[in-house]
Each structure stands twice: as C-alpha cells, then as structure tokens.
Amino acid sequence: MVDGLEGLRVPEELSARVPAEQRGPGRGRDDVRLLVSRGEAVSHHAFRELPALLRAGDVLVVNTSPTLAAAVDGRLGPEPGGEPVVVHFSTRGDDGRWAVELRSPEPSGSTRPRAGGPAGAVVRLPGGGRLTLAGPLTPGSGRLWWARAYGDVPGLLGRYGRPIRYGYTERDQPLSAYQTVFARPSPDGGGSAEMPSAGRPFTAGLVAELAARGVWIAPLSLHTGVASAEAHEPPYPERFEVPAATAALVNAARATGGRVIAVGTTVVRALESAAVAGPVGAGAPARAGRGWTDLVVTPARGVRVVDGLLTGLHEPEASHLLMLEAVAGRAALRSAYAAAVRDRYLWHEFGDVHLLLPEEKGHRARCGSNSG
C-alpha cells in the first residue's frame, strides 16, 4: 500500500458493474471519465478529450494481447460426480503446462476463492479434456497451481470458455466486451487471462483523431495472468515482447521532446523489463526484448523509459499503486485518489481512467474541472 492511502475507502457503489456502453442509450466505450494528474494538480475530463491533452510527437504504447475466454467449468475428482469448480486458465508455461486457479462457483454466476490442489488431483473439463494438478506456482502460495493439460487448451477455451468475471460485476458479458481495439490474435493462441483494461475506452475513431494530431501509437504485448481481487498479490511472471520498431519509435520520440505514455500497467512492466539495466534516469533507452518478467516496479526502483501512464483506478491495497507512485510520486497519487473518491469516479475494468502526466513547470497545484 502507498503511504497516505491507508485511510482511503472506496465505497462499494463506485464499482463499475457493467461496461460504459450499457449504461444508457447512445453511449459508447469512450463514455467514461478521465482524471488527469500533473503532480498534485488534478483536473476532470471526458475520455474523448484525451487527444487534446497530448502533444504531437508523444507516443502512446499499447498492449495488443487479446483477452481469452479463460474461465471453464469443471469437476474435481473421479467420476461420477466430483466437486464443481471453475478453472481460470492463467498462463501457459514454456513446458506446455498451464498455471491455473480453481474457484468455487456461486449461484450468481461469479466465483469465490478456494484452496488450490491437491497435487495429483484430476479436473475433468467439457469435451473430454482434463487437467492434472502438479503443485503450487510459487512456494507458500497455493492459489495458482501448475497443471498438465490434456487436449487443445486454446480450442477448449474457444468452445467452452467465458471471460473471467468478478463478483462486483452485474452479469456475464460476451468476450467482445473484454477485447480492446488494439487486440491482435497471437500465433500460438495465447493471450491474457484478464483484459488489459486501460485500453478498453479507446475506439477506432479516437485512435484516428490521435494520429491526426501527431500522436504515435506503438504496440507491444504482455499476456496478463490471473490477478487477485481478494489478496492484492504482486503479479506473477508473465510473457512479454517489445518489438524493435516500438523501441526505436520510443527512443526517437524522447530524442525530439516527445513523451512516452504507457497505456496500462502491463505496458510499463514490459517496457521496463526490456530496458537496459543501469541507473534510473531520463536518458535510459528503450530496448527490444521478449521472454518472461517477474518485475515489480516500485518507487525505490523507479522507471527508466516511461514518462506518463494511463490506467484504471486501483484498490488502495493493490500492489499496482507502487508502480503509479514510481511514475508520478506519492503526493500526486494521494491527491488524485482523494479527488476520485470525492467526485465519484468508477473503479475496476469497466470504470473510469486516470492519466498521470509529468508536472508542468510553473503549474500550481489545484483541484478543479475542465471542459476541454
């Protein structure tokens, strides 16, 4: 937790329960609010105003990982019968195994936590598929387990899976509601167990307007695993790739005074994981890279490549807030989150978004509203 947010309470009614486009006639994905931080200065906008808040030569780096229908019903134990479980497929390992989370189904259609394991247990899946549980993903944490899958998992998810849903949402949504405009299929059928949600409010029209204003869009991929809405654990190792063209564009922009704005914490993690090791500073170059990252960005580590961040609103206990503090500073975060609660912004993947930009010289701290 970030110091200064200990007493912050996010009322339950500020959880976004349905996507923005379902909140009224004529609404679209970009009908969310945008909280903007420049140091301790806070201003309030519609997300559609984003192009006017950026400058020609800025680069938005986006995550192109597609969201998987990663939740599948199963039965734990031998036939007939067995314990009903919901399997959340999190991450595919290099050896073909999958990191999975087993959860207990709720009558509402959501799920609740359950203990993982036991080792050697078999989970029966639709269509004749099955999993054999091997052991915890990390020692001391039994929530995610490695499992050997028998059968075509991408095919299984495509036929029987549905998006992972948390209890604060109102109802199941189609997979299309969890895909961003930037999502691109992976050659191996891989993707993210949970949507890279910072990119969700973007539409094709907004992307075109950004391009017309001289703002660059640069892609990378990081396949997100299962998060924990209950435990607020740090992220597990995840697969990423920063293309050479993206690294070159980021470095060219910085050389000419452009700002590098990460669309989502996943993008920060990928860029910073690929960056050359060395002292933190504005001159550290972006680098192409691919592989696995277990990097946790903290204020002590700092950021080497990223100047700003567009992200959702995170629970006060979430480990992601350490990354936000590394980007913008503790005072900026305290000011922004107090304003978000006071002005009733919406939290979670279907909620409002927060843009953290570098503090402008001579810009006095304030808290106000802008219409443009």
Side-chain angles (χ1 to χ4, degrees), residues 28-32 47 50-51 54 60-62 179-182 196-208 210 215 217 261-264 310-311 353 355:
R29 283 187 174 222
D30 53 0
D31 279 303
V32 296
F47 184 75
L50 178 65
L54 301 178
L60 286 176
V61 187
V62 302
Q179 301 293 8
T180 74
V181 71
F182 305 114
S197 56
R200 190 183 193 279
F202 286 85
T203 63
L206 190 76
V207 172
L210 287 163
V215 177
I217 307 290
I261 312 297
V263 178
L310 179 72
T311 184
V353 285
L355 177 62

Side-chain angles (χ1 to χ4, degrees), residues 314-332:
H314 305 279
E315 293 287 354
E317 300 86 359
S319 61
H320 287 310
L321 288 178
L322 293 173
M323 178 187 294
L324 272 62
E325 183 182 350
V327 172
R330 182 175 301 169

Side-chain angles (χ1 to χ4, degrees), residues 95-136:
D95 61 359
R97 295 185 302 173
W98 280 81
V100 300
E101 178 188 25
L102 301 187
R103 295 177 68 92
S104 297
E106 292 275 30
S108 64
S110 63
T111 61
R112 66 180 184 275
R114 71 175 296 282
V122 174
V123 180
R124 290 175 281 120
L125 301 170
R130 60 192 176 95
L131 294 171
T132 300
L133 301 177

Side-chain angles (χ1 to χ4, degrees), residues 167-184:
Y168 51 76
T169 57
E170 186 175 291
R171 56 183 176 268
D172 284 343
Q173 296 290 340
L175 184 58
S176 59
Y178 291 86
Q179 301 293 8
T180 74
V181 71
F182 305 114
R184 295 294 180 268

Side-chain angles (χ1 to χ4, degrees), residues 60-66 180-184 192 194-197 199 218-224 239 241 263-267 270:
L60 286 176
V61 187
V62 302
N63 189 355
T64 62
S65 177
T180 74
V181 71
F182 305 114
R184 295 294 180 268
S192 289
E194 297 184 357
M195 171 177 55
S197 56
L220 56 73
S221 67
L222 184 142
H223 296 325
T224 66
R239 190 190 304 274
E241 180 175 2
V263 178
T265 58
T266 60
V267 170

